[in-house]
Amino acid sequence: MRTRRGYRWFEAARGENPFEPASRSDRYLSEEERLRIAALHLGSAGVRRTVTELGRAPSTISRELTRNAAAGGTYRPYAAEKRCRARARRPKPRKLDQLELALQVELRLVRNWAPE
């Protein structure tokens, strides 16, 4: 029986995952920070207290709680992390792949219209 490629990569990496996800910049919230936000939010801590605990901007915490709230208003950190990874996925679709839009851009450039 032929060994699958994934097992060979795993063995070559001495049992470590050779395809660990690339680390994210500190600009983005980490999964640990999202879990801390959830714990504080469940404990009825306000945004300002969460800000002092995490050292982030109040707008970041407020946006995170608003963007990733469930139907009942509860914050779900694992779902938030999953959505974050999906939004960051590459390659992104290009706008000019839409034929109608590409034709309009080309037509207006031929007419010397400004890009604005």
Side-chain angles (χ1 to χ4, degrees), residues 1 5 7 21 30 35 37 40 46 49-50 58 60 64-65 72 74 78-80 88-90 103 112-113 116:
M1 185 168 112
R5 183 172 290 151
Y7 291 113
S30 66
L35 290 169
I37 290 169
L40 290 168
R49 178 157 174 239
T50 306
T60 302
E64 178 70 14
L65 289 170
T74 58
Y78 293 110
R89 201 170 291 149
R90 297 284 190 253
L103 290 173
N112 291 327
W113 284 26
E116 293 91 32

Side-chain angles (χ1 to χ4, degrees), residues 27-64:
R27 175 181 174 205
Y28 304 103
L29 290 172
S30 66
E31 189 171 4
E32 291 80 25
E33 287 176 312
R34 286 190 169 91
L35 290 169
R36 186 72 182 134
I37 290 169
L40 290 168
H41 190 64
L42 280 175
S44 300
V47 172
R48 296 291 175 181
R49 178 157 174 239
T50 306
V51 165
T52 57
E53 294 266 340
L54 293 176
R56 293 284 189 160
S59 60
T60 302
I61 304 301
S62 177
R63 191 179 314 115
E64 178 70 14

